[in-house]
Amino acid sequence: MSLDFDLWRTRFAAHLGDERRLSPHTVAAYLRDLDYLAQFLNQAGLGDWSQIDAQHIRALAGARHRAGAAPRSIQRFLSTLRTFFGYLLREGVLINNPAQDVSAPKLRRSLPHVMDVDQVGRLLDVDSSEPLVIRDRALLELMYSSGLRLSELTGLDLQDIDLRDATVTVTGKGNKTRVLPVGRQAVSAIQRWLTVRAGLAKLDEKALFVNHRGRRLGNGGVQKRLRELGIRQGVDGPLHPHALRHSFATHMLESSGDLRAVQELLGHANISTTQIYTHLDFQHLAEVYDKAHPRAHKSRKS
């Protein structure tokens, strides 16, 4: 069968949109990746689908890498090719998937930004009678107290918080719910917020945290207020709401050493996701060792 790229590109787009019900934005991303494939096939002079093999796909991935594409982009690109060739395989155009066993360069796993205990204390040490500042203190205390994701925090309704039992019920990834303990200072901050929330929230609003218009506070609103509060409180470094979740996990692990418990609290499906915090803990210990151990320093004698 001759290579009729435009025809199969169009049919693949219809497959993604009509059969797999992917969004137009996602379909467009797939098609952008296929444009690189079309250019490569044209330059290589390949005129039949059966001529494409794994070596061609590796060469194409290498070309993307040399062009400056990040490892994550190359991973996504190869995923697109596997999906596209899998579709051609289903349609009888190919007898194997040439991208199936081609691996992408490994991602460098960057360690998340973590605040130390003093930085967290400085950030949360705000005292104001302004309703929105009272709200900010409450939501940040809760995020640090219970290790919530940003989406879990902004998705909370009034019914999800039980101040008598000091627990919060959150809905995480995969629509899974978990019940988490809430610390004493977070309980106190939320109690104070609830006394002023009624003056802001619309009567039919169920969200625990609302904005100045009385509706559910969004993720962007939390990010903006946290940046402003970090500057106001003199906390160094870029502040993102997940820094509080990462700090919660790291501080819990440093104190307890119980990786499984931290995994449950964070709602990680796989413990390998939680293990990044063991690297952070070791990094902290290594820094302490380098500073304190008399045999850790290189001799200054010539």
Side-chain angles (χ1 to χ4, degrees), residues 6 15 67 69 81 84 87 89 105 113-114 118 158 161 164 191 210 238 254:
D6 290 340
H15 161 71
L81 296 189
F84 177 60
Y87 170 72
L89 188 63
H113 173 64
V114 171
D118 289 339
L158 286 169
I161 191 81
R164 179 175 296 179
Q191 286 174 331
V210 300
E254 285 177 351

PDB file of all heavy atoms in Angstrom, residues 6 15 67 69 81 84 87 89 105 113-114 118 158 161 164 191 210 238 254:
ATOM      1  N   ASP A   6      -1.738  12.354   4.077  1.00  0.00           N
ATOM      2  CA  ASP A   6      -2.833  13.282   4.378  1.00  0.00           C
ATOM      3  C   ASP A   6      -4.148  12.549   4.613  1.00  0.00           C
ATOM      4  O   ASP A   6      -4.935  12.925   5.498  1.00  0.00           O
ATOM      5  CB  ASP A   6      -3.001  14.292   3.237  1.00  0.00           C
ATOM      6  CG  ASP A   6      -1.849  15.283   3.171  1.00  0.00           C
ATOM      7  OD1 ASP A   6      -1.150  15.429   4.192  1.00  0.00           O
ATOM      8  OD2 ASP A   6      -1.657  15.896   2.113  1.00  0.00           O
ATOM      9  N   HIS A  15     -10.849   9.627  14.089  1.00  0.00           N
ATOM     10  CA  HIS A  15     -10.832   8.554  15.094  1.00  0.00           C
ATOM     11  C   HIS A  15     -10.663   9.126  16.501  1.00  0.00           C
ATOM     12  O   HIS A  15     -11.367   8.727  17.443  1.00  0.00           O
ATOM     13  CB  HIS A  15      -9.691   7.581  14.761  1.00  0.00           C
ATOM     14  CG  HIS A  15      -9.253   6.719  15.897  1.00  0.00           C
ATOM     15  ND1 HIS A  15     -10.018   5.693  16.397  1.00  0.00           N
ATOM     16  CD2 HIS A  15      -8.107   6.749  16.645  1.00  0.00           C
ATOM     17  CE1 HIS A  15      -9.376   5.116  17.390  1.00  0.00           C
ATOM     18  NE2 HIS A  15      -8.213   5.735  17.562  1.00  0.00           N
ATOM     19  N   ALA A  67      16.996  19.207  18.089  1.00  0.00           N
ATOM     20  CA  ALA A  67      16.322  20.480  17.804  1.00  0.00           C
ATOM     21  C   ALA A  67      15.953  21.219  19.078  1.00  0.00           C
ATOM     22  O   ALA A  67      15.417  22.334  19.022  1.00  0.00           O
ATOM     23  CB  ALA A  67      15.070  20.227  16.969  1.00  0.00           C
ATOM     24  N   ALA A  69      14.048  19.814  21.751  1.00  0.00           N
ATOM     25  CA  ALA A  69      12.849  19.340  22.444  1.00  0.00           C
ATOM     26  C   ALA A  69      13.237  18.714  23.784  1.00  0.00           C
ATOM     27  O   ALA A  69      14.220  17.978  23.873  1.00  0.00           O
ATOM     28  CB  ALA A  69      12.106  18.318  21.582  1.00  0.00           C
ATOM     29  N   LEU A  81       3.119   8.841  18.221  1.00  0.00           N
ATOM     30  CA  LEU A  81       3.467   7.927  17.136  1.00  0.00           C
ATOM     31  C   LEU A  81       2.966   6.510  17.421  1.00  0.00           C
ATOM     32  O   LEU A  81       2.454   5.833  16.523  1.00  0.00           O
ATOM     33  CB  LEU A  81       4.979   7.911  16.917  1.00  0.00           C
ATOM     34  CG  LEU A  81       5.633   9.229  16.451  1.00  0.00           C
ATOM     35  CD1 LEU A  81       7.087   8.994  16.081  1.00  0.00           C
ATOM     36  CD2 LEU A  81       4.871   9.842  15.290  1.00  0.00           C
ATOM     37  N   PHE A  84      -0.732   6.561  16.737  1.00  0.00           N
ATOM     38  CA  PHE A  84      -1.007   6.672  15.301  1.00  0.00           C
ATOM     39  C   PHE A  84      -0.726   5.358  14.578  1.00  0.00           C
ATOM     40  O   PHE A  84      -1.556   4.852  13.810  1.00  0.00           O
ATOM     41  CB  PHE A  84      -0.163   7.804  14.706  1.00  0.00           C
ATOM     42  CG  PHE A  84      -0.318   7.974  13.218  1.00  0.00           C
ATOM     43  CD1 PHE A  84      -1.562   8.253  12.657  1.00  0.00           C
ATOM     44  CD2 PHE A  84       0.779   7.845  12.371  1.00  0.00           C
ATOM     45  CE1 PHE A  84      -1.708   8.413  11.271  1.00  0.00           C
ATOM     46  CE2 PHE A  84       0.641   8.003  10.998  1.00  0.00           C
ATOM     47  CZ  PHE A  84      -0.606   8.277  10.454  1.00  0.00           C
ATOM     48  N   TYR A  87      -3.217   2.772  15.351  1.00  0.00           N
ATOM     49  CA  TYR A  87      -4.437   2.956  14.552  1.00  0.00           C
ATOM     50  C   TYR A  87      -4.253   2.368  13.153  1.00  0.00           C
ATOM     51  O   TYR A  87      -5.141   1.663  12.636  1.00  0.00           O
ATOM     52  CB  TYR A  87      -4.768   4.445  14.471  1.00  0.00           C
ATOM     53  CG  TYR A  87      -5.867   4.780  13.485  1.00  0.00           C
ATOM     54  CD1 TYR A  87      -7.193   4.459  13.750  1.00  0.00           C
ATOM     55  CD2 TYR A  87      -5.559   5.404  12.276  1.00  0.00           C
ATOM     56  CE1 TYR A  87      -8.194   4.749  12.827  1.00  0.00           C
ATOM     57  CE2 TYR A  87      -6.551   5.706  11.352  1.00  0.00           C
ATOM     58  CZ  TYR A  87      -7.868   5.377  11.634  1.00  0.00           C
ATOM     59  OH  TYR A  87      -8.869   5.657  10.733  1.00  0.00           O
ATOM     60  N   LEU A  89      -2.276   0.011  12.354  1.00  0.00           N
ATOM     61  CA  LEU A  89      -2.236  -1.435  12.529  1.00  0.00           C
ATOM     62  C   LEU A  89      -3.657  -2.005  12.583  1.00  0.00           C
ATOM     63  O   LEU A  89      -3.970  -3.020  11.954  1.00  0.00           O
ATOM     64  CB  LEU A  89      -1.469  -1.761  13.821  1.00  0.00           C
ATOM     65  CG  LEU A  89      -1.142  -3.215  14.125  1.00  0.00           C
ATOM     66  CD1 LEU A  89      -0.213  -3.796  13.076  1.00  0.00           C
ATOM     67  CD2 LEU A  89      -0.486  -3.314  15.508  1.00  0.00           C
ATOM     68  N   PRO A 105      14.125   9.490  26.072  1.00  0.00           N
ATOM     69  CA  PRO A 105      15.142   9.784  27.097  1.00  0.00           C
ATOM     70  C   PRO A 105      14.486   9.938  28.454  1.00  0.00           C
ATOM     71  O   PRO A 105      13.350  10.401  28.566  1.00  0.00           O
ATOM     72  CB  PRO A 105      15.760  11.112  26.613  1.00  0.00           C
ATOM     73  CG  PRO A 105      14.757  11.695  25.675  1.00  0.00           C
ATOM     74  CD  PRO A 105      14.059  10.538  25.037  1.00  0.00           C
ATOM     75  N   HIS A 113      10.041  22.124  45.491  1.00  0.00           N
ATOM     76  CA  HIS A 113      10.455  23.174  46.416  1.00  0.00           C
ATOM     77  C   HIS A 113       9.803  22.947  47.774  1.00  0.00           C
ATOM     78  O   HIS A 113       8.595  22.755  47.873  1.00  0.00           O
ATOM     79  CB  HIS A 113      10.041  24.543  45.869  1.00  0.00           C
ATOM     80  CG  HIS A 113      10.275  25.670  46.828  1.00  0.00           C
ATOM     81  ND1 HIS A 113      11.532  26.029  47.247  1.00  0.00           N
ATOM     82  CD2 HIS A 113       9.404  26.497  47.468  1.00  0.00           C
ATOM     83  CE1 HIS A 113      11.431  27.050  48.091  1.00  0.00           C
ATOM     84  NE2 HIS A 113      10.160  27.342  48.238  1.00  0.00           N
ATOM     85  N   VAL A 114      10.620  22.930  48.807  1.00  0.00           N
ATOM     86  CA  VAL A 114      10.130  22.676  50.167  1.00  0.00           C
ATOM     87  C   VAL A 114      10.587  23.805  51.079  1.00  0.00           C
ATOM     88  O   VAL A 114      11.750  24.213  51.052  1.00  0.00           O
ATOM     89  CB  VAL A 114      10.653  21.322  50.698  1.00  0.00           C
ATOM     90  CG1 VAL A 114      10.323  21.157  52.168  1.00  0.00           C
ATOM     91  CG2 VAL A 114      10.056  20.177  49.897  1.00  0.00           C
ATOM     92  N   ASP A 118      10.583  26.922  59.852  1.00  0.00           N
ATOM     93  CA  ASP A 118      10.578  28.348  60.182  1.00  0.00           C
ATOM     94  C   ASP A 118       9.923  29.171  59.077  1.00  0.00           C
ATOM     95  O   ASP A 118       9.193  30.133  59.353  1.00  0.00           O
ATOM     96  CB  ASP A 118      12.010  28.845  60.412  1.00  0.00           C
ATOM     97  CG  ASP A 118      12.610  28.308  61.703  1.00  0.00           C
ATOM     98  OD1 ASP A 118      11.819  27.905  62.586  1.00  0.00           O
ATOM     99  OD2 ASP A 118      13.848  28.278  61.814  1.00  0.00           O
ATOM    100  N   LEU A 158     -18.602  23.003  52.411  1.00  0.00           N
ATOM    101  CA  LEU A 158     -18.782  23.152  53.854  1.00  0.00           C
ATOM    102  C   LEU A 158     -18.967  21.807  54.541  1.00  0.00           C
ATOM    103  O   LEU A 158     -18.464  21.575  55.644  1.00  0.00           O
ATOM    104  CB  LEU A 158     -19.989  24.058  54.137  1.00  0.00           C
ATOM    105  CG  LEU A 158     -19.791  25.555  53.884  1.00  0.00           C
ATOM    106  CD1 LEU A 158     -21.141  26.270  53.945  1.00  0.00           C
ATOM    107  CD2 LEU A 158     -18.842  26.146  54.925  1.00  0.00           C
ATOM    108  N   ILE A 161     -15.851  19.486  55.912  1.00  0.00           N
ATOM    109  CA  ILE A 161     -15.027  19.766  57.080  1.00  0.00           C
ATOM    110  C   ILE A 161     -15.815  19.459  58.343  1.00  0.00           C
ATOM    111  O   ILE A 161     -16.968  19.856  58.483  1.00  0.00           O
ATOM    112  CB  ILE A 161     -14.527  21.231  57.075  1.00  0.00           C
ATOM    113  CG1 ILE A 161     -13.454  21.442  58.136  1.00  0.00           C
ATOM    114  CG2 ILE A 161     -15.645  22.229  57.214  1.00  0.00           C
ATOM    115  CD1 ILE A 161     -12.085  20.996  57.705  1.00  0.00           C
ATOM    116  N   ARG A 164     -15.554  19.292  64.766  1.00  0.00           N
ATOM    117  CA  ARG A 164     -15.697  18.574  66.037  1.00  0.00           C
ATOM    118  C   ARG A 164     -14.750  17.377  66.077  1.00  0.00           C
ATOM    119  O   ARG A 164     -14.079  17.139  67.089  1.00  0.00           O
ATOM    120  CB  ARG A 164     -17.138  18.109  66.216  1.00  0.00           C
ATOM    121  CG  ARG A 164     -17.361  17.337  67.513  1.00  0.00           C
ATOM    122  CD  ARG A 164     -18.827  17.014  67.705  1.00  0.00           C
ATOM    123  NE  ARG A 164     -19.624  18.230  67.848  1.00  0.00           N
ATOM    124  CZ  ARG A 164     -20.950  18.229  68.018  1.00  0.00           C
ATOM    125  NH1 ARG A 164     -21.624  17.092  68.046  1.00  0.00           N
ATOM    126  NH2 ARG A 164     -21.606  19.369  68.134  1.00  0.00           N
ATOM    127  N   GLN A 191     -12.313  27.910  62.037  1.00  0.00           N
ATOM    128  CA  GLN A 191     -13.412  28.408  62.880  1.00  0.00           C
ATOM    129  C   GLN A 191     -13.539  29.921  62.756  1.00  0.00           C
ATOM    130  O   GLN A 191     -14.654  30.460  62.635  1.00  0.00           O
ATOM    131  CB  GLN A 191     -13.174  28.017  64.337  1.00  0.00           C
ATOM    132  CG  GLN A 191     -13.416  26.548  64.630  1.00  0.00           C
ATOM    133  CD  GLN A 191     -13.022  26.171  66.046  1.00  0.00           C
ATOM    134  OE1 GLN A 191     -12.121  26.774  66.637  1.00  0.00           O
ATOM    135  NE2 GLN A 191     -13.686  25.151  66.587  1.00  0.00           N
ATOM    136  N   VAL A 210     -14.535  30.944  49.615  1.00  0.00           N
ATOM    137  CA  VAL A 210     -15.138  31.753  48.559  1.00  0.00           C
ATOM    138  C   VAL A 210     -14.274  32.976  48.273  1.00  0.00           C
ATOM    139  O   VAL A 210     -13.446  33.375  49.097  1.00  0.00           O
ATOM    140  CB  VAL A 210     -16.565  32.206  48.942  1.00  0.00           C
ATOM    141  CG1 VAL A 210     -17.465  30.999  49.174  1.00  0.00           C
ATOM    142  CG2 VAL A 210     -16.543  33.107  50.172  1.00  0.00           C
ATOM    143  N   PRO A 238      10.316  31.207  45.138  1.00  0.00           N
ATOM    144  CA  PRO A 238       9.013  31.168  44.467  1.00  0.00           C
ATOM    145  C   PRO A 238       8.023  30.333  45.274  1.00  0.00           C
ATOM    146  O   PRO A 238       8.340  29.214  45.686  1.00  0.00           O
ATOM    147  CB  PRO A 238       9.334  30.507  43.116  1.00  0.00           C
ATOM    148  CG  PRO A 238      10.555  29.674  43.390  1.00  0.00           C
ATOM    149  CD  PRO A 238      11.335  30.429  44.425  1.00  0.00           C
ATOM    150  N   GLU A 254      10.311  13.413  57.940  1.00  0.00           N
ATOM    151  CA  GLU A 254      11.471  13.678  58.804  1.00  0.00           C
ATOM    152  C   GLU A 254      11.166  13.308  60.250  1.00  0.00           C
ATOM    153  O   GLU A 254      12.019  12.774  60.950  1.00  0.00           O
ATOM    154  CB  GLU A 254      11.851  15.160  58.723  1.00  0.00           C
ATOM    155  CG  GLU A 254      12.560  15.557  57.433  1.00  0.00           C
ATOM    156  CD  GLU A 254      12.846  17.045  57.368  1.00  0.00           C
ATOM    157  OE1 GLU A 254      12.341  17.787  58.233  1.00  0.00           O
ATOM    158  OE2 GLU A 254      13.549  17.463  56.438  1.00  0.00           O
TER     159      GLU A 254
END
